[in-house]
Amino acid sequence: GDFVFTDSLAIVNYVCKKANREDVLGNENVQSVARFYEVYGKVNDLRSAMVGIFYNPQFQELLQPKLDSTIHPGLKQLEKQLEGREYLIGNVTYADFVLYELLDVLAIIDKAILKDYPNLLALHERVRNIPQIAQYLKSERFVERPVSYTHLRAHETPEHLVCRLLLEKKKNILSYLQL
C-alpha cells in the first residue's frame, strides 16, 4: 500500500476510513470522538497494566497485588462507563473490541476476576454475539488461545499464554467491517 503503519490505532483508523466505517471510531460528532478517545485511553491503560504483569517473570507474585492496585480499579471505571449503555460510548466502537479481548484474557487467568462486573460481562457477551464475530468464533480460522511465540519461548507456563491482545483484535475488527 501507500503507507506503513505499526500502531494498532493508526491501522484501525486507516482501515475504518478506507472502508467508510468511521462509526467504529465514534466519529458521529466532535463529542463522540472525544468520548471515544477518553474511553479508549482507559481501555489502553488497562491493557498496559495487564501486559506489564503477563510479561513479567514474577507473574505469580505480582498478579494479586496488580489486580488490587491497577486492574480492578480500571475494571470499576469501565463498569461504571457502561451503566445504562450497551457499549462504552453507546454504539459499538473499536474500544469495545479491545476491551472484549482484554476480558477474554482475564477470563483465561481466572474467570472469577470478572464476577463483580455484570456490565463488563454483558458487553463481552454482546460483542461475542455480533453476527460477524460469532461467525468468526465458530470458523476454522479462530484459534482459542493465540500466543506471541517470542513470549511462549520465554515463559512456558499456561498462565503466560494470554498474549492474544493484538493478534486477534485486528482479525475481529476486519471481520466486523467485512473486509
Side-chain angles (χ1 to χ4, degrees):
D2 300 337
F3 303 100
V4 174
F5 297 108
T6 58
D7 177 76
S8 294
L9 190 54
I11 293 166
V12 170
N13 266 289
Y14 181 78
V15 168
C16 288
K17 286 178 190 286
K18 292 286 275 188
N20 200 27
R21 287 301 309 270
E22 293 181 67
D23 58 303
V24 177
L25 300 171
N27 286 355
E28 293 173 10
N29 56 49
V30 174
Q31 258 188 340
S32 67
V33 171
R35 286 187 204 280
F36 167 79
Y37 282 103
E38 176 185 37
V39 169
Y40 179 75
K42 290 177 184 178
V43 171
N44 205 40
D45 289 346
L46 180 62
R47 179 187 170 276
S48 294
M50 290 170 58
V51 168
I53 298 166
F54 300 146
Y55 279 95
N56 194 303
Q58 282 85 39
F59 170 80
Q60 293 295 340
E61 298 84 42
L62 290 175
L63 181 60
Q64 194 58 53
K66 282 292 191 180
L67 281 170
D68 295 339
S69 69
T70 308
I71 293 176
H72 281 298
L75 291 172
K76 285 177 186 170
Q77 282 185 343
L78 294 166
E79 176 75 8
K80 185 171 174 64
Q81 178 73 31
L82 282 165
E83 286 179 2
R85 295 185 174 107
E86 288 191 1
Y87 297 102
L88 289 167
I89 66 168
N91 59 307
V92 66
T93 67
Y94 174 66
D96 297 293
F97 293 122
V98 177
L99 182 56
Y100 168 84
E101 291 295 327
L102 297 179
L103 297 174
D104 254 2
V105 170
L106 287 171
I108 291 170
I109 297 296
D110 182 358
K111 289 182 193 255
I113 291 172
L114 301 173
K115 70 179 172 41
D116 296 326
Y117 304 103
N119 294 331
L120 291 172
L121 289 169
L123 171 105
H124 185 268
E125 194 62 25
R126 209 171 283 118
V127 170
R128 184 177 195 79
N129 287 316
I130 292 172
Q132 296 89 337
I133 302 293
Q135 180 182 358
Y136 169 74
L137 293 173
K138 293 174 187 167
S139 75
E140 291 180 15
R141 291 183 0 211
F142 176 68
V143 178
E144 181 67 27
R145 292 187 182 189
V147 177
S148 158
Y149 291 102
T150 303
H151 189 218
L152 179 60
R153 286 191 298 269
H155 306 283
E156 296 184 340
T157 63
E159 292 85 1
H160 291 99
L161 302 181
V162 295
C163 299
R164 92 168 49 213
L165 300 172
L166 293 174
L167 297 173
E168 286 301 309
K169 179 170 57 176
K170 290 179 189 104
K171 288 180 189 175
N172 284 341
I173 294 292
L174 294 175
S175 177
Y176 175 74
L177 296 173
Q178 297 181 335
L179 298 177

